[in-house]
Amino acid sequence: MSTQQPLITLSDGNHIPQLGLGVWQATQEQAASAVCEAIKSGYRHIDTASVYENEEGVGRGIQQSGVAREELFITTKIWNPDQGFDKAAIALDASLKRLQLSYVDLLLIHWPAPKMDLYIDTWKAVIAAKEQGKVRSIGVSNFNLDHLHRLIDETGVKPVLNQIELHPFLQQNALQQAHKSLGIETQAWSPLGQGKALSHLPIVAIAEKHGKSAAQVIIRWHVQQGRIVIPKSVTPSRIQENFNVFDFALDANDIAAIGVMDEGQRLGPDPLTFPV
Ligand code: NAD
């Protein structure tokens, strides 16, 4: 199985594999077997979070895969109640312990949680963790442009990426454009619209045209537009299928047909009000 896949260079000089495996809603056991299966299928990038309660499973899957730690790119996230300078540092240590790792490749603040107003202090802890070697790259998730500007203005340190909800029903073109001007990569969560986008006509028709599955078409759409993408599956055949997107290309008509699917429709919470 080929492990050839695009790498994206982050603003700090580190490289992230463009396609990774997401493990939200996977149990510890499912996470362990999905991560092992994914790594054996060629994936080198895994996206978890402390709130997913499967970091131990992810750690076991990494061990079982037999692939060297340095070849892998592992992300975890600081959950909302762990925000604040001291709590975030403690939460990261707990995540590392559960993952059985001495560092993660990417640490994200999971949500800005503006009502808590702790993301600046949390970011300072994330910066300190990088200086201590516990984290290679640092980023955020679910931040809007105001949150990003405040973070950069108050700390002088830019996140390497912003992991945001992004799928055919919510394409976030304005935020993606803003990321580009700031030199921040866009990472798409729920990239398949939690599976809901797969049965929609433009996707099905494009899949038939290319002899590919609907999931492969959507993942290819993300890859071709330069986003980092982390589709989730715990089913071995789908894990393999979702990685097999580097042998075909969508044309301008395909991209335009998916473009008109944008309804500005969130499947997850609104970052301005979450958590309530
Ligand atoms: P997704 O868009 O990746 O969809 C996953 C679902 O699509 C699966 O559960 C399955 O039902 C279906 N699916 C996957 N591959 C398929 C295939 N080949 N054929 C048919 N159906 C298929 O949804 P997601 O899990 O919400 O998002 C992906 C990852 O993004 C998560 O696992 C997590 O790592 C991350 N995430 C992050 C945040 C955040 O706030 N930062 C929020 C949600 C998700």
Side-chain angles (χ1 to χ4, degrees), residues 132-147:
Q132 291 158 6
K134 295 177 180 178
V135 175
R136 296 272 158 98
S137 292
I138 57 177
V140 294
S141 180
N142 300 302
F143 276 44
N144 69 18
L145 197 50
D146 290 340
H147 304 139

Side-chain angles (χ1 to χ4, degrees), residues 33-112:
S33 56
V35 165
C36 185
E37 175 66 37
I39 295 173
K40 288 188 170 158
S41 304
Y43 289 72
R44 291 293 177 265
H45 168 185
I46 309 293
D47 182 89
T48 186
S50 59
V51 73
Y52 301 170
E53 296 185 344
N54 58 23
E55 289 173 312
E56 287 100 340
V58 169
R60 277 206 304 281
I62 293 170
Q63 303 280 327
Q64 285 160 11
S65 76
V67 169
R69 166 70 184 97
E70 316 79 71
E71 289 186 34
L72 302 174
F73 191 103
I74 311 297
T75 301
T76 195
K77 314 184 188 88
I78 303 283
W79 186 231
N80 302 328
D82 295 322
Q83 286 216 32
F85 190 87
D86 292 335
K87 280 187 174 177
I90 293 167
L92 171 61
D93 286 343
S95 282
L96 290 173
K97 195 168 175 205
R98 287 190 290 268
L99 286 160
Q100 298 182 62
L101 298 176
S102 59
Y103 69 92
V104 283
D105 297 274
L106 179 63
L107 180 65
L108 305 180
I109 303 180
H110 207 145
W111 289 85

Side-chain angles (χ1 to χ4, degrees), residues 21-25 47-48 52 77 108 110-111 141-142 163-164 188-196 198 213 215-216 230-233 237-239 241-242:
L21 178 78
V23 294
W24 180 41
Q25 292 175 317
D47 182 89
T48 186
Y52 301 170
K77 314 184 188 88
L108 305 180
H110 207 145
W111 289 85
S141 180
N142 300 302
Q163 183 181 116
I164 55 172
W189 67 252
S190 291
L192 305 174
Q194 298 173 1
K196 295 182 180 74
L198 298 172
S213 72
Q216 288 169 326
I230 46 171
K232 181 244 179 176
S233 180
S237 58
R238 287 178 172 177
I239 290 172
E241 176 187 319
N242 293 350

Side-chain angles (χ1 to χ4, degrees), residues 216-261:
Q216 288 169 326
V217 164
I218 298 179
I219 296 165
R220 180 72 208 177
W221 170 69
H222 288 287
V223 166
Q224 246 174 264
Q225 298 198 320
R227 292 184 286 277
I228 303 156
V229 57
I230 46 171
K232 181 244 179 176
S233 180
V234 294
T235 309
S237 58
R238 287 178 172 177
I239 290 172
Q240 289 162 22
E241 176 187 319
N242 293 350
F243 195 69
N244 186 13
V245 296
F246 300 109
D247 60 352
F248 78 113
L250 302 178
D251 61 33
N253 290 334
D254 302 333
I255 300 283
I258 300 175
V260 298
M261 291 176 72

Side-chain angles (χ1 to χ4, degrees), residues 1 10 19 50 72 107 110 126 140 153 183 193 204 217 259 270:
M1 182 70 65
L10 301 169
L19 174 54
S50 59
L72 302 174
L107 180 65
H110 207 145
V126 170
V140 294
D153 289 349
V204 173
V217 164
D270 185 334

